[in-house]
Amino acid sequence: MIRAIIIDDEKKSREVLTGLLNMFCKQVEIIAEADSVKTGLEVLSKHKPDVIFLDIQMPGMDGFDVISR
């Protein structure tokens, strides 16, 4: 099983991505979601996922800031 986290400030985007992954990628398990960079960094350090689905443009910091940390 591939453990994944979704970080996106738009709830609808997280829901759509989760639905698509559940439908087409049965080997991907969404272990957590975050709605901001701050929460995303907390979730990343807590869960240590295999894959991150990351929004690039979010308020405050962007997805590239998350990657650099």
Side-chain angles (χ1 to χ4, degrees):
M1 190 65 84
I2 299 170
R3 298 166 13 100
I5 290 177
I6 300 173
I7 303 173
D8 194 318
D9 59 318
E10 296 179 24
K11 182 179 181 179
K12 185 67 175 173
S13 295
R14 292 191 314 270
E15 292 172 348
V16 168
L17 181 55
T18 299
L20 290 169
L21 290 169
N22 287 336
M23 192 178 308
F24 296 108
C25 302
K26 302 288 186 190
Q27 73 278 16
V28 176
E29 174 189 13
I30 305 301
I31 56 172
E33 293 184 13
D35 61 0
S36 69
V37 171
K38 181 181 181 227
T39 349
L41 292 171
E42 293 169 2
V43 167
L44 283 171
S45 67
K46 180 179 178 182
H47 292 285
K48 311 238 185 300
D50 301 311
V51 175
I52 304 166
F53 293 94
L54 179 60
D55 186 8
I56 298 301
Q57 294 183 344
M58 291 184 281
M61 290 189 278
D62 62 29
F64 293 109
D65 293 325
V66 173
I67 292 169
S68 67
R69 290 180 179 217

